[in-house]
């Protein structure tokens, strides 16, 4: 059924279709519509789950760690400060190998208080062992959430579905909502690979000495690497049922492009317009959308970027002292390749500032005119202010 | 006492607690009362170690080790999952030390019991962060030395009254218990097991290492804590109905304090002050129980 819904509702629809059994929630703008919608579905009996109204995000994730370990499908959503508050438990969930699915709405971190979109919150969690999938529009949000359960439960790692505040979470778009039979064909009821039971009492998460800890961490690393293979299969199966195709990245006009824009989230949609316009003007511009961030899809980036002369990475995030995070990761991924493009790093749109077609076009022309990239990330659209020191 | 119940063991003979550890004794008694259909949730505390390193376990029940501040919220999640799976029989227990209960786990605990989530929370109280090597907690009593309250900086604040705080949440059952009174402890654990909703047991567990006492007087010290009214045994039902389970002959606190290295620095004047505080607390409890 095709309905015009918010990005937040797209998450909630997928959660309804997932057969989730335990949901935990704590309010934070702008993820609130997600859990409010789920709460409503639980009350109406359209979702048969226990809806836990927690007293903080840390407890939200802790409750799911307990629930998932007992062998039920779980969900929560958060944003920004809430995600930062969960940090310790993010590590816990992945190291306990629990396939929890969480929606994370990208919002800037305080101070000053800012509820608008910015990816630094989720990217700061890149080392926590969570799979991260960045979405561009409502349909992708719904589809990715269903895909997330399949993937998580296959590799026993938690998955974060990431969507931009307001530009996606609160934007109404037409979205195809699968019917329940279709959804269940893709995502059958949960069969945990392990669960905790009094019939087979074991100790989970006990003290581990240096003699064993490393092997446990290597297992997580192997599971992360397995994501590429498993996700390809799951994407293929998704496509065969629903007719919509996804990959770790999405390439547009990359085959013959001299300059490729690398984007994620809703900046991608705006970039599509720019690519279309500049192509018409004869510019050899391409667009590569990063969908999967953890694990970092090195091969997909390499394959799509190898023929380009330059890549302009637009980061709506910043690792202070190192620059745009997608750019950093891309440089690290390509550094040992013989043939590689020059990588231009731009920071734009922090704290929800608009990244308009003009901004993106400006980035393109800057990249084209500079023979070599700046060493540091270039901040786009800064106002004239005194940076007194 | 139920002889058959005292015979059954859900702790293996091997564990890595210090000699005379009250927390090991308390776990043994608790599981005798609860039985094997129990899921034990243990945050960072002495029991993270006592339960044994991977791949061993000291218990015949499942153990979920969890982050320091999350005993209650993890237990809420475990309960929710069991309910969704149709298992209403298994008892869910959050088993935490005083640091994990009075301090870092306090928010999660208050949240869970405000929701009246259906599990048993047991705080085994050894009155400081013992697993990290004896640092002050909000459960450390007035007058105590710890590694972070050394010398003249001995703790000048009262111990937080966790039982009253839990009772103020109006949960169905809150009780104190002691390793020196196993009959009373086991009766309370069995009673708590049968109640639906949030239940809280505050168990006094001696720590010979941290309190600077010989291990062989572990139980004696626990008994003296009750007999001096420093740790009264009582129950609070629905936050309002108080029952005092033991009326001691009101020994003076002086002897209890003089036996422990952690209080060695206290003067007679300090002990007089502490006696006053203990008497005052006892009178308050009596009046709540309608016996004032």
């Amino acid at each position: 059924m095709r309905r015009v819904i918010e990005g937040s509702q797209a998450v909630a629809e997928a959660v309804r279709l997932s057969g989730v059994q335990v949901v935990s929630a704590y309010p934070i703008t702008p993820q609130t519509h997600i859990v409010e919608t789920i709460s409503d579905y639980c009350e109406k009996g359209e979702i048969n789950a226990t809806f836990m109204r927690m007293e903080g995000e840390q407890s939200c994730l802790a409750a799911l760690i307990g629930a998932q370990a007992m062998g039920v499908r779980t969900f929560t959503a958060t944003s920004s400060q809430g995600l930062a508050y969960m940090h310790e438990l993010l590590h816990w969930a992945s190291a306990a190998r629990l396939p929890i699915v969480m929606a994370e709405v990208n919002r800037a971190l305080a101070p000053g208080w800012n509820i608008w979109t910015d990816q630094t919150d989720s990217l700061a969690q890149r080392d926590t062992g969570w799979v991260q999938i960045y979405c561009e529009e409502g349909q992708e949000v719904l589809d990715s959430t269903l895909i997330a359960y399949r993937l998580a439960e296959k590799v026993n790692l938690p998955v974060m579905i990431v969507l931009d505040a307001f530009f996606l979470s609160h934007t109404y778009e037409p979205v195809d909502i699968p019917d329940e039979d279709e959804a269940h064909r893709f995502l059958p009821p949960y069969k945990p690979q392990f669960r905790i039971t009094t019939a087979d009492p074991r100790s989970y998460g006990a003290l581990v000495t240096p003699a064993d800890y490393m092997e446990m961490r290597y297992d997580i690393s192997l599971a992360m690497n397995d994501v590429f293979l498993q996700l390809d299969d799951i994407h293929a199966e998704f496509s065969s049922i629903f007719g919509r195709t996804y990959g770790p990245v999405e390439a547009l006009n990359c085959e013959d492009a001299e300059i490729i824009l690398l984007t994620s989230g809703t900046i991608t949609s705006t970039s599509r317009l720019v690519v279309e316009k500049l192509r018409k003007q004869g510019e050899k511009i391409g667009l590569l959308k990063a969908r999967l961030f953890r694990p970092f899809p090195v091969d997909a980036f390499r394959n799509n970027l190898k023929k380009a002369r330059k890549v302009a990475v637009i980061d709506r995030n910043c690792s202070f002292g190192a620059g745009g995070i997608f750019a950093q990761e891309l440089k690290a991924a390509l550094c040992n390749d013989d043939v590689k493009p020059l990588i231009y790093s731009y920071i734009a749109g922090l704290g929800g500032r608009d990244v308009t077609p003009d901004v993106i076009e400006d980035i393109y022309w800057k990249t084209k005119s500079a023979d070599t990239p700046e060493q540091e990330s270039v901040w786009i659209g800064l106002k004239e202010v005194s940076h007194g020191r | 006492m139920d002889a058959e119940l005292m015979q059954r063991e859900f702790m293996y003979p091997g564990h890595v607690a210090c000699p005379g550890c009250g927390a090991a004794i308390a776990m043994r008694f608790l599981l005798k009362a609860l039985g094997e259909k129990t899921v034990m949730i243990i945050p960072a505390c002495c029991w993270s170690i006592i339960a044994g390193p991977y791949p061993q376990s000291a218990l015949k029940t499942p153990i979920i080790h969890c982050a320091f501040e999350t005993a209650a919220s993890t237990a809420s999640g475990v309960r929710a999952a069991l309910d969704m799976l149709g298992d209403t029989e298994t008892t869910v227990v959050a088993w935490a030390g005083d640091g994990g209960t009075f301090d870092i786990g306090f928010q999660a605990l208050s949240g869970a019991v405000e929701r009246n989530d259906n599990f048993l929370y047991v705080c085994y109280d050894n009155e400081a962060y013992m697993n990290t090597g004896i640092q002050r907690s909000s459960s450390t009593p007035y007058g105590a030395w710890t590694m972070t309250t050394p010398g003249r900086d001995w703790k000048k604040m009262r111990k937080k009254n966790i039982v009253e705080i839990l009772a103020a949440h109006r949960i169905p059952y809150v009780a104190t218990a002691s390793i020196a009174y196993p009959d009373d402890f086991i009766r309370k654990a069995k009673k708590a097991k049968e109640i639906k909703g949030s239940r809280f047991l505050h168990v006094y567990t001696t720590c010979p290492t941290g309190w600077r006492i010989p291990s062989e007087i572990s139980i004696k010290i626990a008994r003296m804590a009750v007999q001096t009214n420093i740790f009264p045994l009582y129950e609070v039902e629905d936050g309002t109905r108080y029952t005092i389970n033991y009326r001691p002959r009101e020994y003076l606190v002086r002897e209890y304090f003089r036996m422990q290295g952690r209080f060695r620095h206290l003067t007679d004047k300090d002990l007089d002050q502490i006696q006053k505080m203990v008497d005052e607390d006892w009178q308050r409890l009596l009046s709540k129980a309608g016996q004032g």
Side-chain angles (χ1 to χ4, degrees), chain A residues 21 48 50 52-55 58-59 62-63 66-67 70 85 88-89 92 195-197 201-207, chain B residues 36-38 52-54 60-67 69-70 73-74 76-78 81-82 84-85 107-108 111 115:
Chain A
Q21 292 155 293
N48 178 26
T50 300
M52 305 180 73
R53 297 152 187 95
M54 304 308 285
E55 80 297 330
Q58 193 183 43
S59 285
M70 301 308 290
Y85 192 34
E88 178 196 13
L89 286 310
W92 201 288
R195 57 183 293 256
I196 293 172
T197 158
R202 290 163 188 273
S203 174
Y204 292 83
L207 176 75
Chain B
E36 66 211 326
K37 279 270 194 188
T38 301
Y54 167 86
K60 298 179 185 176
T61 69
I63 300 173
I64 303 177
H65 292 272
C66 67
E69 70 286 10
T70 67
S73 40
T74 306
S76 294
V78 167
L82 287 170
M84 288 308 294
L85 295 167
Q107 173 192 311
R115 296 187 299 270

Side-chain angles (χ1 to χ4, degrees), chain B:
Chain B
M1 195 182 302
D2 184 338
E4 195 189 333
L5 192 138
M6 285 313 282
Q7 287 294 316
R8 62 182 195 170
E9 291 289 356
F10 299 97
M11 250 176 91
Y12 288 106
H15 63 72
V16 287
C18 304
C21 171
I25 297 165
M27 176 66 93
R28 187 169 168 225
F29 288 156
L30 179 79
L31 283 178
K32 280 177 188 293
L34 300 183
E36 66 211 326
K37 279 270 194 188
T38 301
V39 177
M40 196 62 69
I41 292 137
I42 305 181
C45 59
C46 288
W47 256 92
S48 315
I49 308 301
I50 298 172
Y54 167 86
Q56 295 166 323
S57 178
L59 300 185
K60 298 179 185 176
T61 69
I63 300 173
I64 303 177
H65 292 272
C66 67
F68 208 167
E69 70 286 10
T70 67
S73 40
T74 306
S76 294
V78 167
R79 180 77 264 164
L82 287 170
D83 289 347
M84 288 308 294
L85 295 167
D87 178 350
T88 52
E89 195 191 346
T90 298
T91 304
V92 177
V93 178
W95 170 268
D98 49 290
T101 304
F102 289 59
D103 290 346
I104 198 169
F106 187 69
Q107 173 192 311
L109 171 60
S110 177
V113 304
E114 183 272 333
R115 296 187 299 270
N116 199 24
D117 284 348
N118 183 22
F119 64 84
L120 169 60
Y121 193 109
V122 184
C123 171
Y124 68 93
D125 184 1
N126 51 28
E127 302 196 319
Y129 290 87
M130 294 310 188
N131 194 39
T132 43
I134 323 171
Q135 295 84 22
R136 168 229 203 262
S137 77
S138 62
S139 172
T140 300
Y142 182 96
W145 161 91
T146 67
M147 295 294 277
T148 53
T149 51
R152 283 175 305 164
D153 282 342
W154 52 269
K155 189 175 167 185
K156 309 289 192 312
M157 304 87 191
R158 279 173 184 253
K159 180 185 175 91
K160 188 188 278 183
N161 191 332
I162 197 75
V163 173
E164 289 305 310
I165 294 168
L166 268 292
H169 286 73
R170 298 289 190 101
I171 59 176
Y173 189 64
V174 185
T176 64
S178 167
I179 54 165
Y181 295 82
D183 283 17
D184 178 77
F185 182 4
I186 289 170
R187 178 186 66 78
K188 286 169 176 169
K190 284 174 74 175
K191 182 172 176 179
K193 181 186 175 184
E194 300 308 321
I195 294 169
K196 289 265 179 294
S198 296
R199 298 142 274 164
F200 184 87
L201 284 184
H202 180 205
V203 185
Y204 181 99
T205 54
T206 327
C207 176
T209 309
W211 296 3
R212 302 296 194 237
I213 57 168
S215 56
E216 64 269 20
I217 66 164
S218 188
I219 300 290
K220 182 183 168 85
I221 289 285
R223 190 178 303 116
M224 287 172 76
V226 174
Q227 291 177 339
T228 52
N229 286 333
I230 288 169
F231 192 87
L233 296 178
Y234 68 108
E235 297 161 279
V236 190
E237 286 164 277
D238 299 318
T240 52
R241 295 195 306 285
Y242 282 67
T243 310
I244 296 173
N245 309 112
Y246 182 85
R247 293 298 295 262
R249 277 175 289 168
E250 305 193 16
Y251 288 105
L252 296 177
V253 300
R254 187 176 307 268
E255 199 181 343
Y256 173 86
F257 276 77
R258 285 299 181 217
M259 288 175 80
Q260 302 180 47
R262 63 173 170 160
F263 298 121
R264 187 180 295 134
H265 50 276
L266 296 179
T267 62
D268 284 347
K269 203 174 144 214
D270 294 329
L271 291 177
D272 288 345
Q273 167 69 18
I274 290 167
Q275 181 69 60
K276 251 188 234 159
M277 290 158 77
V278 169
D279 290 346
E280 190 185 296
D281 285 351
W282 175 247
Q283 287 308 318
R284 279 173 61 85
L285 179 61
L286 285 178
S287 79
K288 280 182 178 161
Q291 298 169 29

